[in-house]
Amino acid sequence: MKIAIMGAMVEEITPLLEKFKEYKVVEFAENKFYTVQYKNIDVTIAYSKIGKVNAALTASVLINIFGAQKLLFSGVAGAVDENLHIGDLIAAEGLVQHDLDITAFGHPYGFVPESKILIKADEELLKISKDTAKTLNLTLKSGIIATGDQFICDADKKEWIKKTFGANAIEMEGASVAFVCDALNVPFFILRAISDAADAKAGFDFDEFLRSSSKISADFIVSMLDNLEG
Ligand code: 4EH
């Protein structure tokens, strides 16, 4: 079984690489891909760099060049849901692009013709994540993740995203990974640990909690691997 684990920032995959210790590095498409054997799983790890385009490119490479049969994303997010606090884990049930806007032509926010607003994550991987959380005695929330090419640090913008898409958390890569995996029929799972509340002090909180929340997410992903059949 070949599995990809991706993050967007180097900090998001560093805890994974530290855990696996020995890996090979392959360079492709102006990026580095770290390959490692974990039990009977061939794991390829990469960080895409920030934003939807970089994330879509990396997801495509992980699937089409490295042969990933499932893709897991590990990283941090801003909380939209007031019940999500720094360090909390949220798994995406569905993902939307909050910055996609051709409403001038009568389309809803997040929609372009021949596509969809919401991409649903794989049910089986969601089930495995819930079982993993239970075994570890951890709380894992799930909900809608909204993605856009903007770091959100404004209460009004955050409210708008919440109201428009029913989002629970915001980040800058998940939906683009979801669209790529959905189109290529690769089951995917997007996990995020909260680093900030996407409000006026988000920049400050993000810098403070990026590393600790990245580790919370990465540790959970590694535990999930133990529950995936090779
Ligand atoms: O990859 C980007 C990172 C912020 S930009 C998206 N990631 C972190 C998730 C995230 C997020 N996205 C949108 C956490 N909080 C978010 C928020 N809004 N409030 C970045 C960060 N550091 C240096 C350079 N760019």
Side-chain angles (χ1 to χ4, degrees), residues 97-115:
Q97 297 182 75
H98 70 71
D99 59 348
L100 188 54
D101 179 358
I102 56 162
T103 55
F105 302 98
H107 294 293
Y109 284 107
F111 181 79
V112 293
E114 298 177 61
S115 190

Side-chain angles (χ1 to χ4, degrees), residues 8-9 11-12 48-51 73 75-79 98 146 148-154 170-173 192-199 202-203 206-207 210:
M9 300 178 71
E11 290 86 349
E12 290 173 321
S48 58
K49 294 171 270 190
I50 294 161
F73 190 105
V76 300
H98 70 71
D149 282 331
Q150 297 156 359
F151 181 78
I152 306 295
C153 48
D154 176 275
I170 340 181
E171 34 86 310
M172 302 177 64
E173 297 84 17
R192 299 275 186 170
I194 300 302
S195 56
D196 58 84
D199 53 10
F206 178 84
D207 285 339
L210 168 63

Side-chain angles (χ1 to χ4, degrees), residues 162-219:
K162 184 180 180 179
K163 186 181 83 201
T164 310
F165 299 99
N168 301 93
I170 340 181
E171 34 86 310
M172 302 177 64
E173 297 84 17
S176 60
V177 172
F179 273 81
V180 168
C181 292
D182 185 63
L184 298 173
N185 287 317
V186 171
F188 69 92
F189 176 75
I190 312 270
L191 181 71
R192 299 275 186 170
I194 300 302
S195 56
D196 58 84
D199 53 10
K201 59 181 181 47
F204 178 85
D205 286 343
F206 178 84
D207 285 339
E208 174 102 11
F209 297 107
L210 168 63
R211 277 161 202 84
S212 55
S213 291
S214 290
K215 174 130 177 56
I216 291 169
S217 176
D219 286 349

Side-chain angles (χ1 to χ4, degrees), residues 18 40-41 60 77 83 114 117 129 161 208 220 223 229:
E18 283 174 353
N40 53 353
I41 309 173
S60 311
N83 297 315
E114 298 177 61
I117 299 184
S129 73
I161 293 168
E208 174 102 11
F220 190 91
S223 301
E229 357 178 325

